Amino acid sequence: MTATVRKPGLLVDAVDVVKAFNSGSGQEPVTVLRGVSMTVTNGEMVAIVGPSGSGKSTLLYCLAGLEPLHSGKVELFGQDLASLGRNRLAKMRRDRIGFVFQSYNLIPSLTAAENAGLPGRLSRRRGAAEAARDSLRAVGLSERMRFLPGKLSGGQQQRVAIARVLASGASLVFADEPTGALDTRSGQQVLELLRETAAGDRSVVLVTHDLEAAARADRVLVLRDGQIHAELITPTVEEVLESVRAAGDEAAAA
Ligand code: ADP
Ligand code: MG
């Protein structure tokens, strides 16, 4: 038996993560993640790219403790998620983890400012409302603070979701295609904010199909058919493109 070694600065330590979904009675479960191991350290921005259906969103959910694993292990902040009870996992998610969903997940009855300030309020953080307003300004929504999500465009709702994570002060931010609904300029603005967020003891894990966005990360993981096909360290856009192409071609040929 090996002793537990505290690895300083390691925010995410995932080992051999396997995830399968039941696809209906009598059907074989579909294995979506086939043994993914990866880490995220303090201050890092890690991008996950790969063909559609390769398991990127599923991986993000598993890393953030939103989906149970079939086998393998995910440690966040040095704690094995499987050993945390429901309440401690919920508390960790509330206080230390931010998630930008592809589908925004805003609360329809709350204004933009209330949505952005909600995590801070739930964690009883002092200055939560002020932080929410600051981050809405940072994403260019100072004129929309009192709007309900239903009165905002998809891109604006996405920016509220990003402001919510930035205002929460979460030290580990997961973002699933956060620029997917945005025009080029807003997309770059959001990416810049995420890039700035990944510093000190805060880290960002970004799923994206935007290869230029991925190339701004410290590390890029190329996922293919539920496995890490390549890891690129501070790659150029061309290097990311090449690697994604290779992953896609092999997937198509398989
Ligand atoms: P990506 O984000 O890379 O496009 P996903 O992680 O969303 O890929 O999905 C990977 C595979 O897992 C897909 O084949 C998808 O149909 C399947 N999948 C995802 N979520 C579920 C689910 N809740 N139940 C069954 N299958 C799922
Ligand atoms: Mg996805």
Side-chain angles (χ1 to χ4, degrees):
M1 213 182 98
T2 51
T4 313
V5 182
R6 280 282 287 141
K7 295 160 213 153
L10 206 51
L11 297 197
V12 179
D13 189 8
V15 182
D16 268 332
V17 171
V18 173
K19 174 73 187 172
F21 288 109
N22 290 323
S23 48
S25 58
Q27 305 259 342
E28 285 284 301
V30 179
T31 306
V32 175
L33 299 177
R34 307 163 183 276
V36 174
S37 298
M38 59 173 283
T39 57
V40 180
T41 54
N42 267 346
E44 251 196 325
M45 174 155 136
V46 176
I48 299 170
V49 298
S52 175
S54 56
K56 303 183 296 294
S57 295
T58 305
L59 176 58
L60 221 50
Y61 293 153
C62 288
L63 295 178
L66 296 168
E67 280 279 357
L69 312 182
H70 179 77
S71 64
K73 185 178 77 166
V74 173
E75 282 186 12
L76 300 184
F77 310 102
Q79 288 183 289
D80 186 345
L81 293 187
S83 75
L84 292 177
R86 215 177 225 283
N87 291 341
R88 282 172 64 210
L89 177 61
K91 186 170 166 11
M92 180 192 275
R93 292 225 317 262
R94 188 190 71 195
D95 296 341
R96 305 177 82 176
I97 297 173
F99 204 108
V100 180
F101 292 90
Q102 218 169 343
S103 50
Y104 328 133
N105 283 16
L106 300 177
I107 296 178
S109 58
L110 298 183
T111 64
E114 289 165 344
N115 265 290
L118 193 59
R121 243 182 73 200
L122 293 176
S123 303
R124 299 182 192 187
R125 200 185 301 271
R126 212 183 290 224
E130 186 61 44
R133 286 193 293 273
D134 285 347
S135 57
L136 282 169
R137 270 181 221 114
V139 298
L141 289 179
S142 27
E143 310 295 314
R144 298 284 185 280
M145 299 220 190
R146 297 163 81 89
F147 282 50
L148 294 174
K151 301 284 179 196
L152 297 171
S153 72
Q156 288 169 338
Q157 291 180 56
Q158 181 67 298
R159 283 188 277 161
V160 175
I162 286 160
R164 178 173 59 185
V165 156
L166 298 175
S168 75
S171 30
L172 185 52
V173 172
F174 296 97
D176 195 358
E177 308 270 11
T179 59
L182 304 181
D183 58 68
T184 313
R185 199 177 135 267
S186 312
Q188 276 170 357
Q189 204 176 10
V190 158
L191 203 63
E192 194 54 46
L193 288 165
L194 289 173
R195 185 60 269 190
E196 284 169 18
T197 301
D201 53 10
R202 300 177 87 188
S203 304
V204 173
V205 186
L206 167 75
V207 162
T208 184
H209 57 251
D210 177 349
L211 302 185
E212 289 193 26
R216 308 232 17 220
D218 300 301
R219 254 182 324 130
V220 179
L221 304 176
V222 182
L223 205 62
R224 188 205 108 188
D225 196 21
Q227 287 184 315
I228 295 191
H229 167 83
E231 176 178 15
L232 311 169
I233 315 286
T234 58
T236 62
V237 178
E238 290 71 29
E239 284 164 341
V240 181
L241 178 62
E242 210 168 289
S243 196
V244 169
R245 275 216 186 113
D249 289 348
E250 282 177 38

